[in-house]
Amino acid sequence: MDIARHLALIDELCFRPFPAEHGPSDEGAAGPGRFTAVLASSHGLHESDQAERAATVEQYEKERDALYERLAPRWGETAPWNLRTVLLRTEREEIPEPWAGLSVLARVAYLWEAVGTGRWVAVAVADRDAADEVRLLAVVTEEAPP
């Protein structure tokens, strides 16, 4: 767990210019108005047993919560944001990216408006798809959450 490194990257993404085109980045993916950084990722868990996957999810949730503990004093305490409701809303309304995509990947996120940057920051554990790796994500975007 390298919380200091994760915080430094989140801080950098709050001020880095967004790219003009969608595509991969050194940290994950980026596009106009958004970055999705993979802070940590499992390797081979999409083929692994459920107990090992559950242990990894638990570890990444602890890391997400540790990030919350450091970001909350800066940007305010927030309740966990239930991404399941966002996912349900995608069935009947147009949800903007990166929020629609995040709701497909994760169940819960912590979310802040990064004061003084004009950007929103979310941290979440992407574990919804058992056929995919478990990832700890940071999303930085200028798109307000729905």
Side-chain angles (χ1 to χ4, degrees):
M1 181 178 347
D2 193 350
I3 298 303
R5 186 173 48 97
H6 298 336
L7 289 170
L9 178 58
I10 290 169
D11 286 341
E12 178 186 335
L13 295 177
C14 283
F15 293 98
R16 183 188 294 176
F18 293 113
E21 302 291 326
H22 294 283
S25 71
D26 291 341
E27 299 82 18
R34 65 180 172 267
F35 296 107
T36 300
V38 178
L39 303 176
S41 180
S42 64
H43 300 286
L45 278 184
H46 62 280
E47 301 168 350
S48 203
D49 67 52
Q50 291 302 319
E52 186 178 357
R53 183 177 180 82
T56 301
V57 168
E58 184 177 331
Q59 176 60 38
Y60 286 176
E61 287 173 343
K62 287 179 183 177
E63 290 186 41
R64 178 202 62 207
D65 294 349
L67 286 167
Y68 173 83
E69 292 299 322
R70 279 138 183 112
L71 292 171
R74 184 187 308 179
W75 293 325
E77 293 187 19
T78 64
W81 186 34
N82 184 348
L83 291 168
R84 292 175 188 163
T85 59
V86 176
L87 183 61
L88 289 172
R89 289 174 56 195
T90 63
E91 295 174 6
R92 60 184 188 281
E93 64 182 282
E94 188 71 28
I95 301 294
E97 291 298 341
W99 308 118
L102 186 60
S103 74
V104 170
L105 299 172
R107 293 165 176 41
V108 172
Y110 286 111
L111 175 68
W112 298 271
E113 184 173 8
V115 178
T117 69
R119 297 185 182 189
W120 291 86
V121 175
V123 292
V125 176
D127 70 329
R128 193 181 287 277
D129 184 354
D132 201 357
E133 299 294 341
V134 178
R135 293 167 308 218
L136 176 62
L137 302 176
V139 173
V140 178
T141 181
E142 60 188 7
E143 182 69 42

